[in-house]
Amino acid sequence: MSEPDDGTFGACAARARRRLPRLFADYIDGGAHAERAVRRNRRAFDRIAITPRGLIDVSRVDLTTRCFGQDWRLPVMLAPVGFAGMFHAEGEQGAARAAAECGIGLGVSTFSIAPMERVAAIAPQAMAQIYVFRDRGLTRDMLARAAACGMDGIIVTIDTAITPVRERDVRNGFRDLARPSIAQMAGLARHPRWLAGMARRGAPGIGNLAPYTTERGVMAQARQMAAQIDPTLSRDDLAWLRGVWTGRLIVKGVMHPDDARSARDAGADGIVVSNHGGRQLDASPATIEVLPAIADALEGRIDIVLDSGVRRGADVVAALALGATAVSIGRPWAWALASGGGAGVAQAVRRLEREIADVMALAGVPTLDALRAGGSGLVWGP
Ligand code: FNR
């Protein structure tokens, strides 16, 4: 596949790639090492077929979903995506407005340009994504802030013990942007609309981590704080977190039934089956390939959100048929934000909503309960 397959988000992905400086567009699109997992996520969905069924009343298709204790208009959430405030001046606040307007879930990245407090004020359903830092005092402070600003839960990401080489970022010197080269400055200058937006918004930093960093500028702060992510994170730490955080707790980055059971046994209220969109272990299976075994292991006791490569309504329907409660999308909303701000994100979500409804009507499953009851009998593959 030479061209990337961006599914229903193709137009906004193309626009985002034109509008953003190359190094940000590549940061969004890129994956680890050879980017095999990025492709595998998509190919696994492409291999799935859904059997059409007739003679069923589908005059009303109902996508309403209860997931992670929240009521959503459709089974979709915006995944936590770092640096979103660098993709468009409206940044995370624009995405939060879109999530609130569309009635879907929202994860706020630790590496959010806007502080979590500003996002929570816009979207009451927002959940704070947390990395466990080496300094547990710092982690505790983030949890205290999440509680104080009314975050409706936390999402603990467990697949990021290290950040692997992402070749596009190396090529573009993405992590060296703290001290930009002349070529990098020229690259940024070729995108005056983006530059004007950033200039209007003022000097960027990782607002969500501002209390903890001694560096200035997004990339220097990112480097300092990424080095703080604790690679010793264990089941005991999950139990510790469960003790410290009394609200809803979601574990993200689960790819094995044993990790799913560990999360559940530690008291998690839900998991996100995710290979980080192919950005971490490049040899990883596709998420849709491991979902059935994980759903079996959890026996429906806690909610499962699936992400990584979801690009079409049919992907959402397949994930739900195979045991997910809902899906989340990462790159699609980053592209939509870059190409059209918060309104762009809302438009992209509505397009996905329409596609999910189309597929459910033609598959003869007018409700998500009917879809789940039909289960794997509806789909071929993966
Ligand atoms: C991410 N993701 C991510 N996850 C997380 O827990 N914390 C984070 O800060 C980030 N940052 C981030 C930045 C960018 C640019 C991307 C694309 C992704 C992973 C994200 O939450 C989600 O798991 C994937 O994006 C899902 O795959 P798709 O939808 O991008 O294919």
Side-chain angles (χ1 to χ4, degrees), residues 129-173:
Q129 180 262 320
I130 299 282
Y131 285 118
V132 176
F133 290 113
R134 294 172 198 268
D135 176 352
R136 294 292 191 274
L138 198 161
T139 307
R140 267 180 190 276
D141 189 70
M142 289 202 76
L143 297 175
R145 283 173 53 206
C149 73
M151 279 284 167
D152 196 43
I154 58 165
I155 302 170
V156 184
T157 302
I158 64 163
D159 60 7
T160 332
I162 56 113
T163 303
V165 169
R166 297 183 188 147
E167 290 186 2
R168 298 188 203 217
D169 292 350
V170 174
R171 216 167 33 236
N172 295 329

Side-chain angles (χ1 to χ4, degrees), residues 24 26-30 38 41-42 78-84 87 107-112 129-131 155-160 166 252-253 272-279 306-311 328-335:
F24 284 112
D26 271 353
Y27 168 67
I28 296 172
D29 287 349
V38 177
N41 284 332
R42 286 300 310 135
L78 304 185
V81 165
F83 307 120
F87 309 154
V108 185
S109 166
T110 292
F111 289 88
S112 169
Q129 180 262 320
I130 299 282
Y131 285 118
I155 302 170
V156 184
T157 302
I158 64 163
D159 60 7
T160 332
R166 297 183 188 147
K252 174 172 182 279
V272 183
V273 173
S274 171
N275 61 19
H276 218 100
R279 299 164 78 82
L306 174 136
D307 76 21
S308 301
V310 174
R311 299 290 181 270
S328 55
I329 51 173
R331 293 180 185 87
W333 80 256
W335 294 324

